[in-house]
Structure formats: structure tokens, C-alpha cells
Amino acid sequence: MACLTARSSGNSELLRKASEAARENDGEFYAVLVDSPRNRVRNARVRTLIDDAILASYLGAKIVWLESSDVVAELLHFARQSRIVRIFVKRDRPASFSRLFGRTVYSGLLNRAEGFRIDVVGFERGN
């Protein structure tokens, strides 16, 4: 499962790594975006998100759009419900919009994702 972030500069590396892992393990590939009241997608870089969805579809992902005020809990709920064992998330910049109550999505997943393998994809400095 690739966790898409609406405010990022793009999720192509994340999607490619998650797609490759799904192919290698003959597994399902999901591209998941959680919209929350704090992170309204309408305020995001919509064109980038559309491009990410097109790429995810091209790579064979099932695209899932969820809504919750607790992004990490919703991602984990979906993963458990879908029997996902490996989660790919992009490392947020320290001052990123995706901070949730002082924590980033990736740090929240690292702290709360017991029983899952979490792969954190790095970010380019200076963007």
C-alpha cells in the first residue's frame, strides 16, 4: 500500500517502489489517500495529485480515497481490513503540511503500525 500525500511535490518514487514490491510478492497494490478536515485536498496541489493517480493506475494500483480526522488510524484500519502487510509512506519534511498534532504521517505510522512493515521513502532536500 502506498500512502499518497496531497501536499507533496509528487509521489512517483513512492508509487514505483510500492508497485515493484507488489509485483515481486505477487500482491495487491493500493494507492491510498486520506482526506481530513485538517488536510483538505481542495487546498492541495490538485494537478500533482491527479498526475499521481494516473501514474498509480498505470502501475496497476487500486486507488482508494478515504476520509477521516485521524489519518494514521484510517490508514491502519484500511490496511488491516484489506490484509495489507507492507505500507510505503513518503518521509515528510519537518515543516510539512501533513503534520498531525505535531507528528508527521510517517512518524505516526512508525509509532502505531504494530504488525506492519513500514517502508519510508526519503525526500529530496531543498524542494
Side-chain angles (χ1 to χ4, degrees):
M1 175 174 88
C3 302
L4 300 177
T5 55
R7 285 277 180 171
S8 76
S9 60
N11 294 292
S12 60
E13 180 184 9
L14 173 80
L15 289 167
R16 290 180 197 289
K17 287 185 179 197
S19 171
E20 183 179 319
R23 276 193 317 275
E24 287 174 357
N25 295 293
D26 197 29
E28 294 279 349
F29 172 34
Y30 293 93
V32 180
L33 175 79
V34 180
D35 194 13
S36 74
R38 292 177 58 110
N39 263 359
R40 295 296 352 156
V41 170
R42 69 176 177 267
N43 297 327
R45 298 178 186 169
V46 176
R47 182 64 206 168
T48 300
L49 188 56
I50 291 169
D51 290 344
D52 290 339
I54 291 168
L55 176 60
S57 179
Y58 175 76
L59 294 172
K62 294 179 181 180
I63 300 169
V64 179
W65 192 304
L66 305 170
E67 189 169 341
S68 176
S69 59
D70 186 340
V71 173
V72 174
E74 191 64 23
L75 287 168
L76 293 174
H77 174 74
F78 175 78
R80 284 186 184 97
Q81 186 178 37
S82 301
R83 298 177 189 234
I84 292 167
V85 296
R86 192 169 179 187
I87 300 172
F88 288 79
V89 64
K90 190 170 182 180
R91 181 175 175 202
D92 301 320
R93 297 177 200 197
S96 174
F97 182 82
S98 60
R99 283 190 173 270
L100 302 171
F101 308 106
R103 291 194 165 177
T104 60
V105 172
Y106 87 92
S107 67
L109 283 170
L110 290 174
N111 289 325
R112 295 167 56 185
E114 191 172 317
F116 293 97
R117 175 177 171 182
I118 306 296
D119 290 292
V120 180
V121 178
F123 64 90
E124 293 181 34
R125 297 182 191 278
N127 283 346

